[in-house]
Amino acid sequence: MRDRGLESVKVTTSQSGDAVIAAVSGRVDSVNATSFEQELSKAIEGGSSRLVVDCGELSYISSAGLRILLLAVKKTRAQGGGVALCQVQDHVREVLEVSGFTRIMTVRDTVEQAIESF
Amino acid sequence: MDVTLGIDLGMDRHEPRRVVEVFERFATANGVSDLVVQRFCLALDEILTNVISYGFEKVPKEPRIRVDFGLGNGVLEVRIRDNGRSFNPLVDAPLPDLTLPVDERPIGGLGIHLAKNLVHDISYRREQKRNCLTITQPL
């Protein structure tokens, strides 16, 4: 297994119609959750309240990262939009399930399906 | 235990990540499956972050936090000990209500819940004024 300890989180955003897609890579823990929050906030403040979080390259998320996702859901819903996650790796999916987030967040297999979910 | 490794931690918020990194190398080198490694990493991260963030609030003594890993007889064991305030995560941490609709879900409060629910067996005891949490997993 590769050494992931020093990896930081990286968020790359792009636009697709009404939705903004935030592709997250690396790991999100209590050390870099603030930076993750800033990146997601920037994505939302760009004008769209429909946020797709592409988790294809997200290898790890702790409760510190879940806080940020929940904040993003609340913020976007307040603006009439929402958050859809996609390409979630097995371990991250397990974390979402155990925390009850799969009940309150849309999770789809692909970016296209996530965009269509709005 | 056939193989053991111990780490003493400081109070820096980066410390859980350092421990997770060492654990990951230790467990992987000793053939622990990726799934178990991932679950233990998260449990360690959450518990240690909690200890460093809250365990020594209003505790007027020098913090001592130590993590020991052990592997042997088909069992993986992780022991976390600290001399902070008495805290049994199995009973003292409030249970989150996972059935609440999104607008009513509070932000936070999931760390200990995740740790408890991702590992096979977790036990707590208070001994010699220290919290001692042991996580075990048959391999």
Side-chain angles (χ1 to χ4, degrees):
Chain A
M1 185 183 290
R2 65 202 167 93
D3 184 344
R4 295 177 298 201
L6 297 175
E7 268 181 35
S8 58
V9 63
K10 203 165 122 185
V11 179
T12 310
T13 55
S14 57
Q15 193 81 27
S16 177
D18 286 348
V20 63
I21 301 159
V24 187
S25 64
R27 48 178 293 127
V28 183
D29 61 14
S30 59
V31 173
N32 61 16
T34 307
S35 142
F36 182 50
E37 180 176 15
Q38 287 165 352
E39 293 296 327
L40 282 194
S41 291
K42 264 194 264 173
I44 301 167
E45 282 157 14
S48 177
S49 59
R50 296 175 172 182
L51 175 67
V52 171
V53 182
D54 179 353
C55 301
E57 298 295 324
L58 175 66
S59 59
Y60 178 94
I61 191 164
S62 75
S63 63
L66 296 182
R67 292 169 61 102
I68 310 307
L69 285 180
L70 184 56
L71 274 170
V73 173
K74 287 178 183 262
K75 253 190 223 177
T76 51
R77 279 172 59 95
Q79 296 167 16
V83 174
L85 311 181
C86 62
Q87 306 207 88
V88 183
Q89 294 184 22
D90 288 349
H91 175 63
V92 172
R93 185 181 287 268
E94 182 178 48
V95 172
L96 294 172
E97 280 166 3
V98 172
S99 55
F101 273 32
T102 47
R103 295 169 180 228
I104 55 172
M105 286 182 198
T106 305
V107 183
R108 295 286 185 269
D109 289 339
T110 66
V111 173
E112 292 72 25
Q113 288 169 357
I115 294 169
E116 284 166 14
S117 72
F118 292 115
Chain B
M1 290 284 145
D2 299 334
V3 203
T4 58
L5 181 63
I7 310 171
D8 291 304
L9 280 75
M11 289 292 282
D12 187 279
R13 69 190 184 96
H14 292 77
E15 287 289 75
R17 188 185 272 196
R18 178 172 72 93
V19 173
V20 162
E21 193 183 329
V22 173
F23 171 78
E24 197 168 324
R25 277 200 293 264
F26 170 84
T28 305
N30 286 287
V32 178
S33 74
D34 193 38
L35 180 66
V36 171
V37 171
Q38 294 263 21
R39 288 174 174 167
F40 267 64
C41 284
L42 190 65
L44 269 168
D45 190 357
E46 299 292 357
I47 292 163
L48 292 173
T49 298
N50 201 62
V51 170
I52 290 170
S53 303
Y54 310 112
F56 292 89
E57 282 176 340
K58 298 176 188 166
V59 178
K61 55 182 163 187
E62 189 180 337
R64 291 187 191 283
I65 309 168
R66 184 176 170 86
V67 180
D68 288 285
F69 312 136
L71 260 167
N73 301 318
V75 174
L76 169 65
E77 182 181 287
V78 172
R79 184 172 298 174
I80 302 167
R81 283 175 289 188
D82 70 80
N83 64 343
R85 67 183 169 86
S86 174
F87 179 74
N88 177 353
L90 302 179
V91 297
D92 295 337
L95 293 176
D97 184 350
L98 306 182
T99 64
L100 288 175
V102 64
D103 296 329
E104 292 171 31
R105 283 285 296 254
I107 303 292
L110 288 168
I112 297 297
H113 169 76
L114 280 171
K116 283 195 300 194
N117 286 280
L118 284 176
V119 295
H120 182 265
D121 187 28
I122 184 163
S123 65
Y124 171 88
R125 64 180 188 277
R126 181 83 178 167
E127 59 176 23
Q128 297 174 330
K129 296 184 179 172
R130 290 190 303 181
N131 298 304
C132 181
L133 197 70
T134 307
I135 309 170
T136 53
Q137 171 77 44
L139 297 175

PDB file of all heavy atoms in Angstrom, chain A residues 43-66:
ATOM      1  N   ALA A  43     -16.409  26.450  -4.348  1.00  0.00           N
ATOM      2  CA  ALA A  43     -17.149  25.813  -5.447  1.00  0.00           C
ATOM      3  C   ALA A  43     -18.612  26.251  -5.427  1.00  0.00           C
ATOM      4  O   ALA A  43     -19.197  26.557  -6.461  1.00  0.00           O
ATOM      5  CB  ALA A  43     -17.046  24.297  -5.342  1.00  0.00           C
ATOM      6  N   ILE A  44     -19.185  26.304  -4.231  1.00  0.00           N
ATOM      7  CA  ILE A  44     -20.598  26.675  -4.119  1.00  0.00           C
ATOM      8  C   ILE A  44     -20.775  28.176  -4.368  1.00  0.00           C
ATOM      9  O   ILE A  44     -21.706  28.613  -5.048  1.00  0.00           O
ATOM     10  CB  ILE A  44     -21.162  26.322  -2.729  1.00  0.00           C
ATOM     11  CG1 ILE A  44     -21.036  24.818  -2.458  1.00  0.00           C
ATOM     12  CG2 ILE A  44     -22.621  26.731  -2.629  1.00  0.00           C
ATOM     13  CD1 ILE A  44     -21.265  24.443  -1.014  1.00  0.00           C
ATOM     14  N   GLU A  45     -19.861  28.949  -3.828  1.00  0.00           N
ATOM     15  CA  GLU A  45     -19.979  30.410  -3.972  1.00  0.00           C
ATOM     16  C   GLU A  45     -19.804  30.858  -5.419  1.00  0.00           C
ATOM     17  O   GLU A  45     -20.125  31.975  -5.771  1.00  0.00           O
ATOM     18  CB  GLU A  45     -18.963  31.114  -3.064  1.00  0.00           C
ATOM     19  CG  GLU A  45     -19.422  31.140  -1.608  1.00  0.00           C
ATOM     20  CD  GLU A  45     -18.267  31.304  -0.633  1.00  0.00           C
ATOM     21  OE1 GLU A  45     -17.165  31.666  -1.086  1.00  0.00           O
ATOM     22  OE2 GLU A  45     -18.486  31.053   0.564  1.00  0.00           O
ATOM     23  N   GLY A  46     -19.282  29.953  -6.237  1.00  0.00           N
ATOM     24  CA  GLY A  46     -19.122  30.271  -7.648  1.00  0.00           C
ATOM     25  C   GLY A  46     -20.456  30.476  -8.354  1.00  0.00           C
ATOM     26  O   GLY A  46     -20.494  30.857  -9.514  1.00  0.00           O
ATOM     27  N   GLY A  47     -21.558  30.201  -7.695  1.00  0.00           N
ATOM     28  CA  GLY A  47     -22.858  30.491  -8.297  1.00  0.00           C
ATOM     29  C   GLY A  47     -23.821  29.327  -8.384  1.00  0.00           C
ATOM     30  O   GLY A  47     -25.002  29.528  -8.617  1.00  0.00           O
ATOM     31  N   SER A  48     -23.345  28.112  -8.193  1.00  0.00           N
ATOM     32  CA  SER A  48     -24.258  26.985  -8.313  1.00  0.00           C
ATOM     33  C   SER A  48     -24.551  26.380  -6.950  1.00  0.00           C
ATOM     34  O   SER A  48     -23.670  26.254  -6.104  1.00  0.00           O
ATOM     35  CB  SER A  48     -23.638  25.904  -9.203  1.00  0.00           C
ATOM     36  OG  SER A  48     -24.514  24.805  -9.254  1.00  0.00           O
ATOM     37  N   SER A  49     -25.805  26.018  -6.739  1.00  0.00           N
ATOM     38  CA  SER A  49     -26.155  25.356  -5.483  1.00  0.00           C
ATOM     39  C   SER A  49     -26.321  23.851  -5.699  1.00  0.00           C
ATOM     40  O   SER A  49     -26.755  23.140  -4.821  1.00  0.00           O
ATOM     41  CB  SER A  49     -27.440  25.958  -4.909  1.00  0.00           C
ATOM     42  OG  SER A  49     -28.484  25.794  -5.840  1.00  0.00           O
ATOM     43  N   ARG A  50     -26.008  23.408  -6.918  1.00  0.00           N
ATOM     44  CA  ARG A  50     -26.044  21.972  -7.207  1.00  0.00           C
ATOM     45  C   ARG A  50     -24.606  21.480  -7.268  1.00  0.00           C
ATOM     46  O   ARG A  50     -23.890  21.751  -8.234  1.00  0.00           O
ATOM     47  CB  ARG A  50     -26.761  21.708  -8.533  1.00  0.00           C
ATOM     48  CG  ARG A  50     -28.205  22.115  -8.476  1.00  0.00           C
ATOM     49  CD  ARG A  50     -28.869  21.953  -9.815  1.00  0.00           C
ATOM     50  NE  ARG A  50     -30.309  22.174  -9.693  1.00  0.00           N
ATOM     51  CZ  ARG A  50     -31.148  22.066 -10.696  1.00  0.00           C
ATOM     52  NH1 ARG A  50     -30.712  21.720 -11.895  1.00  0.00           N
ATOM     53  NH2 ARG A  50     -32.434  22.286 -10.512  1.00  0.00           N
ATOM     54  N   LEU A  51     -24.232  20.762  -6.245  1.00  0.00           N
ATOM     55  CA  LEU A  51     -22.824  20.381  -6.126  1.00  0.00           C
ATOM     56  C   LEU A  51     -22.655  18.868  -6.260  1.00  0.00           C
ATOM     57  O   LEU A  51     -23.242  18.092  -5.501  1.00  0.00           O
ATOM     58  CB  LEU A  51     -22.292  20.833  -4.753  1.00  0.00           C
ATOM     59  CG  LEU A  51     -20.866  20.424  -4.394  1.00  0.00           C
ATOM     60  CD1 LEU A  51     -19.839  21.111  -5.294  1.00  0.00           C
ATOM     61  CD2 LEU A  51     -20.562  20.752  -2.929  1.00  0.00           C
ATOM     62  N   VAL A  52     -21.861  18.474  -7.228  1.00  0.00           N
ATOM     63  CA  VAL A  52     -21.496  17.065  -7.366  1.00  0.00           C
ATOM     64  C   VAL A  52     -20.107  16.894  -6.765  1.00  0.00           C
ATOM     65  O   VAL A  52     -19.169  17.600  -7.141  1.00  0.00           O
ATOM     66  CB  VAL A  52     -21.476  16.634  -8.852  1.00  0.00           C
ATOM     67  CG1 VAL A  52     -20.884  15.234  -9.003  1.00  0.00           C
ATOM     68  CG2 VAL A  52     -22.875  16.685  -9.437  1.00  0.00           C
ATOM     69  N   VAL A  53     -19.987  16.006  -5.801  1.00  0.00           N
ATOM     70  CA  VAL A  53     -18.669  15.731  -5.233  1.00  0.00           C
ATOM     71  C   VAL A  53     -18.195  14.392  -5.801  1.00  0.00           C
ATOM     72  O   VAL A  53     -18.738  13.336  -5.474  1.00  0.00           O
ATOM     73  CB  VAL A  53     -18.705  15.697  -3.690  1.00  0.00           C
ATOM     74  CG1 VAL A  53     -17.311  15.445  -3.144  1.00  0.00           C
ATOM     75  CG2 VAL A  53     -19.250  17.012  -3.137  1.00  0.00           C
ATOM     76  N   ASP A  54     -17.217  14.479  -6.682  1.00  0.00           N
ATOM     77  CA  ASP A  54     -16.657  13.282  -7.306  1.00  0.00           C
ATOM     78  C   ASP A  54     -15.595  12.709  -6.361  1.00  0.00           C
ATOM     79  O   ASP A  54     -14.527  13.289  -6.183  1.00  0.00           O
ATOM     80  CB  ASP A  54     -16.056  13.671  -8.666  1.00  0.00           C
ATOM     81  CG  ASP A  54     -15.433  12.488  -9.388  1.00  0.00           C
ATOM     82  OD1 ASP A  54     -15.340  11.391  -8.790  1.00  0.00           O
ATOM     83  OD2 ASP A  54     -15.024  12.668 -10.553  1.00  0.00           O
ATOM     84  N   CYS A  55     -15.917  11.564  -5.765  1.00  0.00           N
ATOM     85  CA  CYS A  55     -15.042  10.976  -4.732  1.00  0.00           C
ATOM     86  C   CYS A  55     -14.123   9.891  -5.292  1.00  0.00           C
ATOM     87  O   CYS A  55     -13.553   9.100  -4.528  1.00  0.00           O
ATOM     88  CB  CYS A  55     -15.898  10.393  -3.610  1.00  0.00           C
ATOM     89  SG  CYS A  55     -16.976  11.583  -2.815  1.00  0.00           S
ATOM     90  N   GLY A  56     -13.992   9.849  -6.613  1.00  0.00           N
ATOM     91  CA  GLY A  56     -13.208   8.779  -7.245  1.00  0.00           C
ATOM     92  C   GLY A  56     -11.791   8.648  -6.717  1.00  0.00           C
ATOM     93  O   GLY A  56     -11.238   7.562  -6.641  1.00  0.00           O
ATOM     94  N   GLU A  57     -11.192   9.780  -6.370  1.00  0.00           N
ATOM     95  CA  GLU A  57      -9.810   9.761  -5.877  1.00  0.00           C
ATOM     96  C   GLU A  57      -9.721  10.076  -4.385  1.00  0.00           C
ATOM     97  O   GLU A  57      -8.652  10.388  -3.880  1.00  0.00           O
ATOM     98  CB  GLU A  57      -8.958  10.770  -6.666  1.00  0.00           C
ATOM     99  CG  GLU A  57      -8.845  10.479  -8.159  1.00  0.00           C
ATOM    100  CD  GLU A  57      -8.092   9.179  -8.440  1.00  0.00           C
ATOM    101  OE1 GLU A  57      -7.130   8.887  -7.697  1.00  0.00           O
ATOM    102  OE2 GLU A  57      -8.484   8.451  -9.370  1.00  0.00           O
ATOM    103  N   LEU A  58     -10.862  10.024  -3.719  1.00  0.00           N
ATOM    104  CA  LEU A  58     -10.865  10.271  -2.267  1.00  0.00           C
ATOM    105  C   LEU A  58     -10.618   8.935  -1.560  1.00  0.00           C
ATOM    106  O   LEU A  58     -11.442   8.033  -1.601  1.00  0.00           O
ATOM    107  CB  LEU A  58     -12.215  10.858  -1.835  1.00  0.00           C
ATOM    108  CG  LEU A  58     -12.416  11.064  -0.335  1.00  0.00           C
ATOM    109  CD1 LEU A  58     -11.470  12.136   0.205  1.00  0.00           C
ATOM    110  CD2 LEU A  58     -13.868  11.445  -0.032  1.00  0.00           C
ATOM    111  N   SER A  59      -9.459   8.822  -0.934  1.00  0.00           N
ATOM    112  CA  SER A  59      -9.084   7.523  -0.370  1.00  0.00           C
ATOM    113  C   SER A  59      -9.487   7.364   1.092  1.00  0.00           C
ATOM    114  O   SER A  59      -9.524   6.245   1.614  1.00  0.00           O
ATOM    115  CB  SER A  59      -7.567   7.330  -0.490  1.00  0.00           C
ATOM    116  OG  SER A  59      -6.888   8.364   0.191  1.00  0.00           O
ATOM    117  N   TYR A  60      -9.801   8.470   1.756  1.00  0.00           N
ATOM    118  CA  TYR A  60     -10.034   8.398   3.198  1.00  0.00           C
ATOM    119  C   TYR A  60     -10.823   9.616   3.634  1.00  0.00           C
ATOM    120  O   TYR A  60     -10.530  10.725   3.201  1.00  0.00           O
ATOM    121  CB  TYR A  60      -8.665   8.384   3.897  1.00  0.00           C
ATOM    122  CG  TYR A  60      -8.674   8.365   5.401  1.00  0.00           C
ATOM    123  CD1 TYR A  60      -8.593   7.164   6.111  1.00  0.00           C
ATOM    124  CD2 TYR A  60      -8.729   9.549   6.135  1.00  0.00           C
ATOM    125  CE1 TYR A  60      -8.575   7.154   7.500  1.00  0.00           C
ATOM    126  CE2 TYR A  60      -8.709   9.533   7.523  1.00  0.00           C
ATOM    127  CZ  TYR A  60      -8.629   8.325   8.192  1.00  0.00           C
ATOM    128  OH  TYR A  60      -8.610   8.312   9.563  1.00  0.00           O
ATOM    129  N   ILE A  61     -11.792   9.386   4.506  1.00  0.00           N
ATOM    130  CA  ILE A  61     -12.490  10.532   5.105  1.00  0.00           C
ATOM    131  C   ILE A  61     -12.807  10.196   6.560  1.00  0.00           C
ATOM    132  O   ILE A  61     -13.266   9.099   6.867  1.00  0.00           O
ATOM    133  CB  ILE A  61     -13.766  10.905   4.307  1.00  0.00           C
ATOM    134  CG1 ILE A  61     -14.320  12.253   4.792  1.00  0.00           C
ATOM    135  CG2 ILE A  61     -14.832   9.813   4.386  1.00  0.00           C
ATOM    136  CD1 ILE A  61     -15.315  12.892   3.833  1.00  0.00           C
ATOM    137  N   SER A  62     -12.505  11.139   7.433  1.00  0.00           N
ATOM    138  CA  SER A  62     -12.831  10.933   8.847  1.00  0.00           C
ATOM    139  C   SER A  62     -14.034  11.812   9.180  1.00  0.00           C
ATOM    140  O   SER A  62     -14.565  12.522   8.321  1.00  0.00           O
ATOM    141  CB  SER A  62     -11.641  11.292   9.736  1.00  0.00           C
ATOM    142  OG  SER A  62     -11.497  12.691   9.822  1.00  0.00           O
ATOM    143  N   SER A  63     -14.448  11.792  10.434  1.00  0.00           N
ATOM    144  CA  SER A  63     -15.633  12.564  10.826  1.00  0.00           C
ATOM    145  C   SER A  63     -15.427  14.056  10.567  1.00  0.00           C
ATOM    146  O   SER A  63     -16.393  14.789  10.349  1.00  0.00           O
ATOM    147  CB  SER A  63     -15.961  12.321  12.296  1.00  0.00           C
ATOM    148  OG  SER A  63     -14.914  12.777  13.125  1.00  0.00           O
ATOM    149  N   ALA A  64     -14.168  14.505  10.578  1.00  0.00           N
ATOM    150  CA  ALA A  64     -13.894  15.916  10.302  1.00  0.00           C
ATOM    151  C   ALA A  64     -14.319  16.262   8.875  1.00  0.00           C
ATOM    152  O   ALA A  64     -14.833  17.359   8.611  1.00  0.00           O
ATOM    153  CB  ALA A  64     -12.405  16.209  10.499  1.00  0.00           C
ATOM    154  N   GLY A  65     -14.131  15.339   7.958  1.00  0.00           N
ATOM    155  CA  GLY A  65     -14.560  15.550   6.576  1.00  0.00           C
ATOM    156  C   GLY A  65     -16.072  15.428   6.427  1.00  0.00           C
ATOM    157  O   GLY A  65     -16.686  16.137   5.629  1.00  0.00           O
ATOM    158  N   LEU A  66     -16.671  14.524   7.209  1.00  0.00           N
ATOM    159  CA  LEU A  66     -18.127  14.363   7.146  1.00  0.00           C
ATOM    160  C   LEU A  66     -18.839  15.652   7.570  1.00  0.00           C
ATOM    161  O   LEU A  66     -19.869  16.006   7.018  1.00  0.00           O
ATOM    162  CB  LEU A  66     -18.584  13.208   8.043  1.00  0.00           C
ATOM    163  CG  LEU A  66     -18.089  11.799   7.673  1.00  0.00           C
ATOM    164  CD1 LEU A  66     -18.669  10.770   8.642  1.00  0.00           C
ATOM    165  CD2 LEU A  66     -18.460  11.442   6.241  1.00  0.00           C
TER     166      LEU A  66
END
